[in-house]
Amino acid sequence: MKTTAKRSIALLLLVAMVLGGLGVLGYRFAVNGEKWATLRANEHLTENGSFVGAGNVLDRNGEVLAFTENGERNYNNSERIRKSTLHIVGDTEGYISSGVQTAYKSQLSGYSPLTGFYTLERYGKGNDVVLTIDSKVSAVAYDALKGRKGVVAAYNYKTGEILCSVSSPNYDIEDKPSAEDIEKNKDGKYDGLYLNRLIDGLYTPGSTFKVITSISALQNIPDIHSFQYKCTGEEVVDGVKVTCPKKHGEMDFHECFSSSCNCAFAVMSQEIGSLPLEQTARELGFGEVFLFGNKNTAASIIDLAAASGGDLAWASVGQYDTLVNPYHMLTLMGAVANKGDAVLPFAVESVVSPKGRVVEKAEPEVKSYITPVIADEISQMMREAVEDKYGDGNFENLSMCGKTGTAEVEDGKKPHSWFVGFSQNEQCPIAIVVVVENGGWGSSTALPVASKVMKEIYKSVS
Amino acid sequence: MQEFIVTLEPFFRYAILGIVVFIVVRMLLSLFCKKTTDPIRGKLINTITNESISLRERETSIGRNKSCDIVLPFDTISRLHAVIAYRSKGFVIFDTFSKSGVKVNGKRIDGQALIHSGDEINIGGLTYRLSEGKYKFIKDKSSWLGAPSYMLTLALLFVLNIIIMLLNMYPEGQFSGAVVCVYLGFIALQWIYFLFSTYVLRLNNFELEMIAFVFCSLGLGVVGSMYPNAVLKQLLAVVLGVVGFCVILVILRYVESLRYLRWILAGCALGILALTLVIAEPTNGARNWLSLGGISIQPSELVKVAFVFVGAVTLDRLQSIRSLTSYIVFSVACVGFLFLMFDFGTALIFFFTFVLIAFMRSGDLKTLSIVCGVAALGAVAILILKPYVASRFSTYLHVWEYMDEGGYQQTRTLIYSASGGLFGLGLGNGELRNIFAAAEDLVFGVISEEFGLIISFLIPITYCIIAIWAVVNGKKAKSTFYTLAGVGAIGMIVFQSMLSIFGITDLLPLTGVTLPFISKGGTSIICCFCLLAFIKSIDTRSFANFKPELTPEDIPITVPKKVNKRRGVAGNENNS
């Protein structure tokens, strides 16, 4: 009898297996539970393929961008607003992975690992997501792009709130082009349709890179303020010819910047050296991945390790293998505008439960990039560029600082058109990035877009 | 009324969780913390040293061997020398073919003799005086942890069932009187059982039953909200199960008469399986249902009870391979029939139970490894010869790749279990219930989604803790039969829970078995309660208050014909 009882210990093996298995299962629920629960197959959330379990998506002024009614997902009445906010609001199928309706799926559905979908079950809808986006400004930006591919993004560099983020090409979510059309992609009309170019885009920076080169010059060349250069329209550096569109003549450091003189920067770059320039760029966030609304941004790329003197000359004016992410560029503008400390841009202000409780609130993150002294000087240089070259009339009352860029791309295509800048008006602390793909001159294509958007923003705050 | 229920729903969720967790934890603590209430039936006092030995067991074995209850390590004592048994007319001493014999008051006895207070017993030269106790029970000295209030437990069960009833009054949107009746009936059943077992069966501990009632409440809740028309049948099954539980508990008191039952049961079991195989219509790919006059039963569930019973009885004779042979034959026949019915899950459960009981009986690893090896070969052969059987398991570990095909049930179980969170969405609010076999095979997922992960995980954990309790307390059981049957039964329940839960969550291949005490299915519930009686038989307190009312002749204890001297341990399994 004792022996028999002793042998029953064999049963403990099974017990150990079961408890171990339950441990594994519990672990899987803890790790994957949210992912599983928010799958489209979950009929708590999805009805007839539509994400009906989601709460509302609202802009900063309470304008409803997306909502569920009678078991159907609906969007804002205005087609302009629908298109301009497409990549931020996102779709319900998950093609636009950075859109709020995908990236904030569990928040929108009110999912919590503790209570599951209880909120949804009890109140019939999940949480509302309040965006920092201003739908009116976005619509103006959408109009200004006139259907050209590119990105317009503006944010408050004091608070980090993104007011406008328009990515093109886009489509009307209430009237989506057929899958066939998208598949065919006639004339490249739908290139990167589902990408939010603000966070996924990588562009040759062109002259906007001179901001970074200038910062590096201020850091690495002790007598930069006595720098003088006479532009003859071309300069040979290390056997490579660097050209300017016209002869700029005799200039100091600030004038080189505002004239955007390639030749002067080519000479300056040889004084800085490729490693210090790359190091400055890395300190300024090249190679860094930012978290934007639960999704990673594409990291800006710079690699000057194998660059010759000629390569370095072109790199200093943004025409080498260097690629810049617009979100990163926007952050950098924020840093320059805000005395060296960038408040990282974000688009989701808060998540609010059906009972009105704030479940999640944006916590702005601040990163220090440059010293206030350098930030002030760069601001001043960019201010001079607007005053002397681009025309202050484009940005009335804004005390705008800016830099255009005309980034040469592959042969046979027009260059990408850039404008980066920010307003020094205390009432309107806004930084902006505009990229128009193959748009031509920065000053003639991107700048007018920025001008329209900045004016609209100024109107909304004054 | 409906609005009133909806308003209270958030409160109900936490009330259900609180009551379920409280009762289960309280009952498990009580199981482990209780002290024995066994009476000292008498004492043996050494006439020279005055050292006294208490006689607590119904049968006490005396001998040189270490596995005896009283070990006397002297050369004059045989390995198993004698057994003192407590019978209705008093103490009886049996000489178990010892070399030097047993003397009572100086006279050598022949086989057995009645002994009384004051009699002097000489065992291999040692003399003891018997002092009979006054049959007084030792007061239960357990701590407060070991003495739960069953009134409180029943009151909480009442509240639990009323809550579930309220939540279920409008299954599918319409008021259902049947559902209300079922819950009131279930509450009545709990009280009737409590009174009956207290005053008629003279039981005073109900931990296992209370846990079973709690789990049944959850199961009835799920069935009631999904199948308002089937819930009455489910309650009927619970009633039959409780009746079966009581009947088996009474039968088990007469350990000696059980051996005659085993041939009958074994025959019936094989007969009904064979019958099913011949006449059953295939349902969902398995031919394991038998329809008799409008009532369909799952014979394999009933056979489970017989299987444990037969396994536990056959072996109580001797721990030799020979005694195992007939059990092996019986088991192979059962498992074979189940395979032919394509009921692989149940076949696996039977096989596991066989291995567990056979190992406990014989400790014969060699034979068992051979049996397992042959079984594994057989399984592989079937998978090769009948590829469509293998295809049933092809999505195992790949369920997410076949979300809408072979992995449909598993992925939906995971999705909806995660949807419920720790506290659940509330009874009736789930989505998993709309999927095929939700109340049977997928019930773990339904419980997770609607009652929350805490309660759903509590169920298998509770079975595991009961298994640990059975192993720890197995050696204290009054008879080897109880140990074998109890451990076998809880082993079966734990194994089945494992197949059920891990099958639908893709930790194991999906075999489609029910979750004990929870799943819809009448035969399954009846079987679970019968198995529970075996588990309860381990608990010494189950029989503590029971006074044997046997015939004057008494049933003789089993005495081995021959003592296996070479192994030297023979007979020690016999003293029940």
Side-chain angles (χ1 to χ4, degrees):
Chain A
M1 162 125 188
K2 282 179 186 167
T3 332
T4 305
K6 229 184 256 170
R7 287 186 195 131
S8 67
I9 287 170
L11 180 59
L12 294 183
L13 281 178
L14 178 73
V15 169
M17 274 169 63
V18 174
L19 292 178
L22 288 172
V24 172
L25 192 59
Y27 173 77
R28 286 190 185 171
F29 274 125
V31 174
N32 300 326
E34 184 163 339
K35 190 180 88 195
W36 290 340
T38 50
L39 281 174
R40 271 167 62 72
N42 191 333
E43 293 189 10
H44 286 296
L45 296 182
T46 314
E47 236 170 70
N48 305 322
S50 185
F51 184 26
V52 296
N56 299 346
V57 180
L58 306 153
D59 89 341
R60 64 184 298 115
N61 302 317
E63 181 80 20
V64 182
L65 302 179
F67 60 103
T68 293
E69 198 177 63
N70 303 327
E72 227 182 293
R73 196 73 180 150
N74 294 303
Y75 298 88
N76 193 282
N77 282 329
S78 154
E79 186 190 331
R80 288 162 71 226
I81 291 179
R82 288 199 297 269
K83 282 185 166 179
S84 64
T85 57
L86 174 76
H87 287 93
I88 289 290
V89 174
D91 59 353
T92 58
E93 291 90 354
Y95 288 111
I96 302 172
S97 65
S98 59
V100 161
Q101 294 200 88
T102 301
Y104 279 75
K105 201 170 181 183
S106 62
Q107 283 94 334
L108 270 174
S109 61
Y111 180 80
S112 122
L114 286 186
T115 57
F117 284 123
Y118 188 70
T119 310
L120 178 60
E121 205 51 51
R122 181 129 183 97
Y123 301 99
K125 69 170 200 159
N127 300 324
D128 291 349
V129 167
V130 181
L131 301 175
T132 61
I133 299 289
D134 185 323
S135 55
K136 271 192 205 147
V137 175
S138 300
V140 168
Y142 167 77
D143 291 343
L145 269 177
K146 292 181 192 149
R148 291 169 293 191
K149 285 179 204 150
V151 51
V152 180
Y155 96 114
N156 183 322
Y157 55 79
K158 298 265 187 221
T159 61
E161 298 161 339
I162 295 183
L163 297 182
C164 153
S165 163
V166 178
S167 179
S168 177
N170 43 43
Y171 60 87
D172 182 0
I173 193 158
E174 295 273 33
D175 185 19
K176 193 182 171 182
S178 70
E180 233 173 80
D181 277 2
I182 295 173
E183 180 77 19
K184 264 195 219 152
N185 192 14
K186 224 173 162 188
D187 310 329
K189 189 161 81 167
Y190 296 129
D191 277 343
L193 180 62
Y194 299 123
L195 296 181
N196 182 350
R197 285 163 154 72
L198 175 65
I199 67 167
D200 295 319
L202 281 175
Y203 294 106
T204 303
S207 296
T208 57
F209 192 81
K210 284 173 185 154
V211 173
I212 289 129
T213 311
S214 298
I215 293 171
S216 191
L218 286 167
Q219 288 173 342
N220 293 297
I221 305 175
D223 56 349
I224 184 70
H225 291 110
S226 55
F227 182 86
Q228 287 287 331
Y229 181 75
K230 189 177 178 205
C231 173
T232 58
E234 63 175 66
E235 175 79 46
V236 177
V237 177
D238 196 19
V240 175
K241 196 164 86 175
V242 176
T243 55
C244 279
K246 65 174 190 182
K247 295 177 185 173
H248 291 111
E250 184 80 26
M251 294 172 297
D252 65 4
F253 175 51
H254 283 211
E255 284 163 345
C256 291
F257 181 85
S258 53
S259 308
S260 200
C261 176
N262 291 345
C263 302
F265 273 85
V267 171
M268 214 187 296
S269 69
Q270 306 303 308
E271 280 186 56
I272 299 169
S274 58
L275 286 183
L277 180 59
E278 180 173 337
Q279 201 196 334
T280 302
R282 293 202 176 277
E283 281 166 12
L284 292 176
F286 276 77
E288 193 178 337
V289 170
F290 299 91
L291 193 67
F292 173 76
N294 296 340
K295 290 282 166 189
N296 288 335
T297 65
S300 298
I301 298 165
I302 189 164
D303 182 8
L304 302 177
S308 66
D311 292 338
L312 174 62
W314 278 118
S316 71
V317 299
Q319 289 297 159
Y320 184 53
D321 293 340
T322 309
L323 292 173
V324 176
N325 169 256
Y327 177 91
H328 173 214
M329 193 50 110
L330 187 62
T331 310
L332 219 48
M333 284 305 114
V336 174
N338 199 32
K339 309 228 174 287
D341 298 332
V343 184
L344 299 190
F346 60 87
V348 173
E349 175 64 38
S350 57
V351 178
V352 183
S353 81
K355 277 196 284 186
R357 194 170 56 87
V358 175
V359 183
E360 247 182 79
K361 180 119 185 87
E363 285 171 23
E365 196 186 331
V366 181
K367 261 191 175 162
S368 195
Y369 283 110
I370 42 176
T371 63
V373 175
I374 292 182
D376 277 349
E377 179 151 9
I378 297 290
S379 300
Q380 198 192 328
M381 286 157 72
M382 290 174 72
R383 180 82 191 106
E384 286 163 10
V386 173
E387 280 179 324
D388 302 347
K389 304 289 171 186
Y390 313 141
D392 223 8
N394 286 316
F395 305 100
E396 238 172 298
N397 305 323
L398 285 166
S399 309
M400 195 72 183
C401 307
K403 182 78 196 81
T404 56
T406 308
E408 298 295 338
V409 287
E410 56 200 285
D411 290 340
K413 286 202 172 173
K414 281 167 86 181
H416 290 338
S417 180
W418 277 86
F419 182 85
V420 300
F422 53 90
S423 156
Q424 285 185 322
N425 184 334
E426 290 282 321
Q427 307 304 311
C428 186
I430 302 295
I432 189 166
V433 164
V434 176
V435 183
V436 181
E437 292 175 23
N438 311 115
W441 291 100
S443 52
S444 56
T445 307
L447 190 137
V449 174
S451 162
K452 280 180 197 158
V453 174
M454 288 304 290
K455 278 180 188 160
E456 178 66 26
I457 294 175
Y458 181 72
K459 213 166 74 187
S460 72
V461 295
S462 59
Chain B
M1 186 68 185
Q2 220 165 347
E3 277 170 30
F4 168 73
I5 296 169
V6 170
T7 322
L8 282 178
E9 213 192 339
F11 164 75
F12 284 164
R13 278 197 318 156
Y14 296 111
I16 291 176
L17 177 68
I19 292 174
V20 169
V21 171
F22 177 81
I23 296 182
V24 170
V25 170
R26 187 68 195 84
M27 292 300 122
L28 290 176
L29 279 175
S30 164
L31 264 186
F32 276 93
C33 295
K34 60 109 199 285
K35 300 249 166 56
T36 178
T37 52
D38 236 22
I40 296 177
R41 300 174 196 274
K43 280 178 181 173
L44 286 178
I45 299 158
N46 191 309
T47 49
I48 297 160
T49 62
N50 271 343
E51 176 199 3
S52 80
I53 301 163
S54 299
L55 301 173
R56 287 170 182 268
E57 321 281 323
R58 298 268 313 277
E59 286 105 10
T60 311
S61 58
I62 303 167
R64 183 154 51 92
N65 197 280
K66 275 181 192 154
S67 57
C68 289
D69 296 315
I70 299 173
V71 182
L72 301 172
F74 304 106
D75 288 343
T76 50
I77 313 276
S78 297
R79 286 195 172 83
L80 174 64
H81 199 111
V83 173
I84 296 178
Y86 178 70
R87 293 289 182 257
S88 56
K89 55 191 171 187
F91 283 102
V92 183
I93 188 161
F94 296 85
D95 183 349
T96 50
F97 303 103
S98 63
K99 258 195 219 157
S100 53
V102 175
K103 289 177 193 161
V104 174
N105 295 329
K107 261 196 256 169
R108 179 159 181 167
I109 61 163
D110 179 21
Q112 64 180 77
L114 199 61
I115 48 177
H116 304 284
S117 232
D119 283 349
E120 291 199 346
I121 301 141
N122 188 300
I123 299 165
L126 297 168
T127 310
Y128 292 92
R129 194 174 60 246
L130 177 72
S131 162
E132 282 184 76
K134 298 215 166 100
Y135 314 124
K136 270 192 186 163
F137 301 128
I138 296 171
K139 277 269 186 226
D140 190 347
K141 282 187 204 149
S142 55
S143 63
W144 63 271
L145 276 175
S149 160
Y150 289 106
M151 285 298 166
L152 174 65
T153 311
L154 282 168
L156 287 175
L157 266 171
F158 175 82
V159 175
L160 175 67
N161 280 288
I162 292 295
I163 289 177
I164 293 180
M165 182 190 83
L166 285 174
L167 289 174
N168 260 356
M169 274 167 84
Y170 300 91
E172 297 171 0
Q174 282 188 320
F175 178 79
S176 166
V179 169
V180 172
C181 290
V182 162
Y183 282 100
L184 297 178
F186 186 44
I187 292 168
L189 172 72
Q190 292 159 16
W191 282 92
I192 292 169
Y193 169 75
F194 178 68
L195 295 174
F196 177 77
S197 52
T198 306
Y199 293 107
V200 181
L201 296 181
R202 308 286 219 93
L203 297 177
N204 55 11
N205 294 282
F206 308 97
E207 291 97 346
L208 296 171
E209 297 92 311
M210 293 301 158
I211 290 173
F213 285 148
V214 169
F215 289 171
C216 279
S217 309
L218 301 178
L220 276 174
V222 172
V223 175
S225 61
M226 286 173 73
Y227 305 97
N229 300 325
V231 67
L232 195 63
K233 229 164 86 183
Q234 185 81 356
L235 175 71
L236 205 65
V238 176
V239 172
L240 283 176
V242 172
V243 170
F245 174 84
C246 294
V247 169
I248 292 183
L249 215 51
V250 170
I251 292 177
L252 287 181
R253 288 173 168 175
Y254 302 94
V255 179
E256 300 310 321
S257 50
L258 295 180
R259 57 186 64 239
Y260 305 110
L261 257 174
R262 77 173 192 274
W263 291 112
I264 304 165
L265 274 176
C268 289
L270 290 177
I272 197 167
L273 283 178
L275 186 71
T276 313
L277 189 59
V278 173
I279 66 170
E281 296 291 324
T283 0
N284 310 324
R287 294 201 299 184
N288 51 359
W289 286 91
L290 202 56
S291 287
L292 296 171
I295 304 165
S296 47
I297 58 165
Q298 214 170 358
S300 54
E301 295 291 336
L302 295 178
V303 174
K304 274 180 190 166
V305 182
F307 190 79
V308 171
F309 187 92
V310 171
V313 174
T314 7
L315 206 41
D316 117 305
R317 200 172 274 268
L318 266 185
Q319 38 186 348
S320 67
I321 298 166
R322 222 180 124 253
S323 69
L324 211 51
T325 318
S326 55
Y327 188 47
I328 292 177
V329 170
F330 174 63
S331 305
V332 165
C334 285
V335 173
F337 277 131
L338 289 166
F339 249 96
L340 293 176
M341 294 175 199
F342 293 135
D343 191 353
F344 304 112
T346 315
L348 213 55
I349 293 168
F350 272 63
F351 185 73
F352 168 79
T353 312
F354 158 73
V355 172
L356 179 65
I357 293 181
F359 174 73
M360 283 169 62
R361 274 168 54 161
S362 68
D364 187 348
L365 280 174
K366 209 171 93 188
T367 311
L368 285 176
S369 343
I370 293 169
V371 171
C372 288
V374 170
L377 279 178
V380 169
I382 284 181
L383 291 181
I384 292 171
L385 292 175
K386 312 235 161 165
Y388 60 90
V389 173
S391 73
R392 280 180 52 165
F393 306 116
S394 61
T395 49
Y396 174 50
L397 294 180
H398 298 279
V399 290
W400 295 106
E401 292 153 45
Y402 303 97
M403 264 182 79
D404 294 322
E405 296 115 41
Y408 189 77
Q409 287 180 310
Q410 296 96 313
T411 50
R412 292 324 183 267
T413 302
L414 291 171
I415 287 173
Y416 291 123
S417 297
S419 299
L422 293 183
F423 310 116
L425 300 180
L427 184 59
N429 293 338
E431 288 284 348
L432 185 64
R433 52 176 54 231
N434 302 325
I435 285 163
F436 176 72
E440 292 92 357
D441 302 352
L442 309 187
V443 78
F444 175 79
V446 176
I447 298 277
S448 299
E449 188 185 14
E450 301 187 6
F451 290 109
L453 287 172
I454 296 177
I455 288 185
S456 67
F457 272 61
L458 185 68
I459 295 164
I461 290 173
T462 303
Y463 295 152
C464 284
I465 294 178
I466 294 176
I468 294 171
W469 168 83
V471 169
V472 171
N473 286 267
K475 58 178 175 288
K476 293 186 203 148
K478 294 281 168 187
S479 156
T480 316
F481 170 79
Y482 299 146
T483 315
L484 284 170
V487 173
I490 187 67
M492 191 175 240
I493 287 178
V494 171
F495 189 78
Q496 182 170 338
S497 308
M498 179 176 85
L499 285 190
S500 173
I501 295 171
F502 295 167
I504 56 166
T505 51
D506 203 35
L507 261 66
L508 289 175
L510 180 64
T511 41
V513 296
T514 55
L515 185 61
F517 290 107
I518 313 273
S519 286
K520 174 172 175 279
T523 348
S524 161
I525 286 282
I526 296 173
C527 158
C528 289
F529 271 100
C530 293
L531 290 177
L532 194 68
F534 290 138
I535 302 169
K536 196 170 172 65
S537 74
I538 287 183
D539 194 341
T540 48
R541 299 166 304 168
S542 305
F543 308 113
N545 287 7
F546 178 66
K547 242 181 154 185
E549 302 290 343
L550 301 183
T551 52
E553 290 82 22
D554 262 325
I555 294 155
I557 62 156
T558 320
V559 174
K561 291 276 158 17
K562 252 189 192 172
V563 175
N564 184 339
K565 283 182 182 159
R566 191 172 54 78
R567 301 185 74 189
V569 288
N572 57 28
E573 295 297 303
N574 254 45
N575 46 8
S576 46

